[in-house]
Amino acid sequence: MPPEQDRFPGVVEVVVEIPRGSRNKYEWDEAARVFRLDRVLSSAVFYNFDYGFVAGTRGGDGDHTDALLIIDEPTFTGCHVWGRPIGGLEMRDEHGEDFKVLCVAVGDPNQAHIERLDQVRPHRLVEIEHFFETYKLLESKETEVLGWRDRDRAREILVADRARHVREGHDPDQPYAVDHSEAAGR
């Protein structure tokens, strides 16, 4: 096991679904164990960060905990990146509460100095908020951005979501855990 795995929630394994610069919304299909194109964004916006989920977690909405990854160059769908949580964006959408953990890539020296939200360029945070306020507008879906939360709150969410994942019987060290009874139709 890599030493980073032992540093949760200070370091998390982010699985990238959508690389920075894309308008394609890819999602991990847990039952089929593949990434699928969910849709192409209908608004004239693009992801200005890598987007994915934190491996070994389960959010209140039933999906893995969402993760935003600040990185200078886009990675690719399916890439695993060690990320350091620095805060999170609290939101609501058509499915209810939706917390997105903001991370910086451990392997990106340009982000190595960032430990907290107040060390991120303020305009970058505004751009991210704007993205989430507008990306579903032309789909007649509403989102409500409630604001940024600090690193401690992000870590609390991660610990709770890891515990939920374990309570479901999943091994937290298996990022793509599948409930085989559901997958088999039982």
Side-chain angles (χ1 to χ4, degrees), residues 4 6 10 21-22 24 32 37 57 64 68-69 71 74 96 101-102 111-112 114 123 134 137 159 175 178:
E4 287 83 355
D6 295 332
S22 181
N24 291 341
L37 176 65
T57 60
H64 294 285
L68 315 175
L69 184 66
I71 190 166
V101 177
L102 182 64
Q111 311 305 328
I114 299 176
H123 189 72
T134 60
L137 283 177
V159 168
V178 175

Side-chain angles (χ1 to χ4, degrees), residues 1 6 13 33 45 53 58 63 79 84 105 169 173:
M1 178 183 328
D6 295 332
E13 185 173 4
R33 302 178 61 85
V45 295
F53 61 87
R58 180 75 67 207
D63 292 333
C79 185
R84 190 174 53 254
D173 296 329

Side-chain angles (χ1 to χ4, degrees), residues 15-18 25-38 51-58 62-66 77-80 165 170 174-179:
V15 180
V16 176
E17 292 173 302
I18 306 160
K25 173 118 176 44
Y26 303 106
E27 289 191 355
W28 173 247
D29 181 331
E30 207 166 346
R33 302 178 61 85
V34 297
F35 290 94
R36 294 194 187 279
L37 176 65
D38 179 61
Y51 182 87
F53 61 87
V54 177
T57 60
R58 180 75 67 207
D63 292 333
H64 294 285
T65 308
D66 293 333
T77 300
C79 185
H80 290 234
H165 194 256
H170 300 294
Q174 296 298 316
Y176 298 125
V178 175
D179 183 342

Side-chain angles (χ1 to χ4, degrees), residues 43-117:
S43 295
V45 295
F46 60 89
Y47 288 84
N48 60 343
F49 44 82
D50 276 16
Y51 182 87
F53 61 87
V54 177
T57 60
R58 180 75 67 207
D61 63 0
D63 292 333
H64 294 285
T65 308
D66 293 333
L68 315 175
L69 184 66
I70 296 177
I71 190 166
D72 284 349
E73 295 295 325
T75 60
F76 55 89
T77 300
C79 185
H80 290 234
V81 179
W82 292 115
R84 190 174 53 254
I86 61 167
L89 187 60
E90 187 176 351
M91 297 179 48
R92 284 194 190 99
D93 66 12
E94 67 273 11
H95 302 292
E97 300 292 323
D98 191 20
F99 193 86
K100 299 181 182 314
V101 177
L102 182 64
C103 300
V104 294
V106 170
D108 185 348
N110 294 309
Q111 311 305 328
H113 67 285
I114 299 176
E115 297 284 338
R116 299 177 318 275
L117 281 175

